Amino acid sequence: MEKNIVLEILKSTENLLYYNDLTSAKEYIRLEIENLEGITPKKCRNTIYPFFFCDRCSNKNCPDNENKAIKF
C-alpha cells in the first residue's frame, strides 16, 4: 500500500476520533479492513446494479474502484 493512501486513512480516522464520532470511526475502520482483505468488491457485486457500481464508486481505497475522479 502506498504511503499517501495510508496517510489519508489515518488522517480520516484521526478526524473522526477528534470529534468523538466513535460510531463513524468504527464503521470507517471496518470498511478499510474489508478493503484490505478484498471483501468489499464481493459485497458490492451483489448489489442491484453490479455492472455499473464500480464506475460510480465512492470508496477511495476499494481495489476494484474504477471511478477515476476520486482515485489517489
Side-chain angles (χ1 to χ4, degrees):
M1 186 180 295
E2 292 182 29
K3 182 179 176 180
N4 61 342
I5 295 173
V6 174
L7 215 71
E8 185 70 29
I9 292 169
L10 291 174
K11 284 181 182 180
S12 297
T13 305
E14 180 184 37
N15 285 335
L16 290 169
L17 294 174
Y18 177 79
Y19 291 106
N20 205 24
D21 193 356
L22 298 177
T23 305
S24 295
K26 286 179 186 179
E27 181 66 22
Y28 181 70
I29 291 170
R30 183 196 58 77
L31 176 70
E32 291 301 337
I33 289 171
E34 287 180 354
N35 286 338
L36 292 172
E37 291 177 340
I39 297 171
T40 305
K42 293 175 188 171
K43 283 180 155 182
C44 290
R45 298 274 183 222
N46 292 330
T47 62
I48 297 171
Y49 306 105
F51 303 109
F52 304 108
F53 192 75
C54 288
D55 294 338
R56 295 175 181 87
C57 185
S58 62
N59 188 345
K60 293 186 254 184
N61 197 29
C62 181
D64 287 357
N65 185 348
E66 295 175 5
N67 185 357
K68 304 297 184 222
I70 62 168
K71 274 291 197 187
F72 288 105

